[in-house]
DNA sequence: GTAATAGTGTCTATCAGACACTATTCA
DNA sequence: TGAATAGTGTCTGATAGACACTATTAC
């Protein structure tokens, strides 16, 4: 039988990230341009190897990659899954452990270096990126987008695409852009109030040439609330 | 920077399975008793290494492990996630790619061999197994149980715990045992009819000393239907 | 005042769940 | 006929969503 000590039997493992933010035109993903073979010059999900003597666990490795690319420390973070087969990387049987992160675009400072020659935001089409991606990253990104779009339907997850303080109208606009349909203001606010995951910031208002709007913030960082379901 | 060719930088990767079935007393999981160190003699989730020159992809590796342990070929199958850190396996930084499978207990013939000295069904408590498990398998199993229990609320997944032919009353009983609460017969049948994922087997009835019950089967194998949600 | 958006109240068509009823078999 | 479970019908209280209304600012 096989053994873990037969090193050539070990697959290659990378940690890759689908980092999402919301731009005026819709959802965007952060991509890195590859500087080395394979797929040199192609765009790919930012990622890296596990540093076995530095990373305590998988999530720490993913957080390290995120920090190196964006300078962001603690956004919403979720494992999407593992993708692995013999053919996705020409260097051999490989795994990609994929996480997705949601951040407010304003919070990000793009970093350069490593074996990527640049990083940039790219729009998400109906499914995945609008440009070809290295490895099987188009399929991986598609899985992450699908997960995100599904969760918009029944969780408070989209709040993580907004900056710390936001109005209810801004929150509703995020849902509407992700869902691709308009929501009723009254019904939306009832639903949000029901699950009780945000709180007004006393005295803080968003001002414009109209009635000022109350600013809100998340109640506890990193908690995702589910709306009610059935059966 | 690191490289995948530095073999000592590669974590160990195993594929582990949470195989669930329903017994008269409730949900059970198939565990294997370890024959070798580490954790020799302890019970663990059945698993194995990736055979890089045999397994086409991760799911194929998982299916191979399942086939070797149970003789079952094509049950319901779903990736639960990856669990990885420096400490979970004394042999080094390791990953467990975990799948869960749902099967009808009658379909299984337990296999022996490999580095496991035996395999047996064990009850699931409120959370995880009622006995201590090797590695971090108690936590992994808990994640799988949580996933399963959640999905019972809004999917047709429990049907995979029944044999090919079943009655609506039997299906309702599965939901009730997994949910731990009784369901209304009329409402349950409306819901099931709505999502249209099973079909009557013409003329086939379950007979007892009462009115016979129509037998049903899945419409297409391996499709999981979601009940409707909101926002 | 007007324009613009924030925020709340009301009304109704729908429907999930409670419950009762009928149907069909065995003994 | 009675016991047991299958399967269907009905009624009602709750509520999601449509829509209209009031509130508060800048100009």
């Amino acid at each position: 039988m096989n053994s873990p000590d037969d090193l050539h039997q070990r697959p290659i493992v990378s940690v890759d990230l689908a980092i999402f933010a919301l731009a005026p035109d819709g959802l965007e993903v952060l991509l890195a341009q590859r500087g080395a073979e394979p797929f040199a010059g192609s765009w790919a999900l930012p990622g890296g190897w596990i540093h076995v003597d530095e990373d305590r666990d998988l999530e720490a490795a993913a957080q390290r990659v995120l920090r190196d690319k964006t300078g962001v420390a603690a956004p919403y973070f979720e494992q999407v899954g593992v993708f692995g087969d013999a053919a996705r990387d020409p260097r051999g049987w490989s795994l990609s452990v994929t996480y997705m992160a949601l951040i407010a675009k304003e919070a990000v400072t793009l970093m350069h270096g490593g074996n990527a020659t640049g990083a940039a935001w790219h729009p998400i089409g109906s499914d995945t990126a609008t440009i070809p991606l290295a490895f099987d990253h188009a399929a991986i990104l598609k899985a992450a987008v699908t997960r995100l779009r599904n969760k918009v339907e029944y969780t408070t997850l989209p709040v993580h695409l907004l900056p710390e303080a936001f109005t209810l109208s801004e929150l509703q606009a995020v849902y509407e852009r992700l869902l691709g349909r308009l929501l009723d203001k009254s019904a939306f606010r009832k639903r949000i109030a029901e699950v009780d995951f945000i709180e007004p910031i006393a005295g803080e208002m968003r001002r414009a040439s109209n009635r000022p709007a109350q600013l809100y913030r998340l109640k506890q960082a990193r908690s995702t609330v589910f709306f009610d379901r059935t059966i």
Side-chain angles (χ1 to χ4, degrees), chain A:
Chain A
M1 69 159 287
N2 277 28
S3 151
D5 297 327
D6 178 356
L7 289 170
H8 290 285
Q9 290 288 346
R10 295 190 189 182
I12 307 164
V13 181
S14 67
V15 175
D16 297 305
L17 263 61
I19 305 169
F20 294 112
L22 206 52
D25 290 334
L27 199 60
E28 293 188 338
V29 65
L30 188 64
L31 297 179
Q33 193 168 26
R34 290 183 57 76
E37 294 294 342
F39 294 100
S42 287
W43 292 90
L45 297 175
W49 310 111
I50 291 171
H51 295 185
V52 295
D53 33 46
E54 180 185 348
D55 302 319
R56 203 182 54 248
D57 55 30
L58 276 174
E59 181 148 334
Q63 294 271 16
R64 175 175 51 73
V65 171
L66 177 70
R67 217 171 38 243
D68 291 351
K69 297 284 194 231
T70 68
V72 174
Y76 178 78
F77 221 68
E78 170 176 338
Q79 190 182 97
V80 175
V82 215
F83 301 83
D85 63 45
R88 56 184 297 279
D89 188 319
R91 290 166 292 188
W93 220 107
S94 68
L95 294 180
S96 163
V97 178
T98 305
Y99 284 79
M100 75 177 183
L102 302 184
I103 54 186
K105 206 170 170 181
E106 310 90 65
V108 179
T109 315
L110 295 184
M111 307 289 189
H112 296 263
N115 65 345
T117 60
W121 293 102
H122 289 258
I124 297 288
S126 56
D127 246 350
T128 181
T130 53
I131 53 168
L133 298 185
F135 306 104
D136 56 351
H137 286 192
I140 292 177
L141 178 54
K142 184 173 169 176
V145 170
T146 301
R147 169 85 66 96
L148 172 56
R149 291 243 161 88
N150 280 339
K151 282 199 147 186
V152 173
E153 290 280 350
Y154 60 96
T155 72
T156 62
L157 205 144
V159 75
H160 300 285
L161 293 167
L162 286 170
E164 252 199 77
F166 54 87
T167 69
L168 291 180
S169 295
E170 288 164 359
L171 183 58
Q172 182 174 343
V174 172
Y175 273 90
E176 289 176 340
R177 263 191 294 166
L178 291 172
L179 292 170
R181 67 174 195 267
L182 297 178
L183 301 175
D184 180 80
K185 183 167 50 163
S186 173
F188 179 77
R189 285 168 185 235
K190 261 186 265 176
R191 186 64 61 91
I192 294 298
E194 217 160 66
V195 295
D196 186 40
F197 74 112
I198 58 176
E199 60 192 359
I201 310 175
E204 302 253 330
M205 310 292 268
R206 168 95 66 237
R207 305 195 154 271
S209 62
N210 50 33
R211 176 171 175 175
Q214 177 65 52
L215 284 170
Y216 289 81
R217 67 173 159 231
L218 259 184
K219 269 200 164 173
Q220 322 94 317
R222 308 186 111 264
S223 70
T224 301
V225 183
F226 289 68
F227 300 116
D228 57 325
R229 307 150 164 171
T230 36
I231 253 212

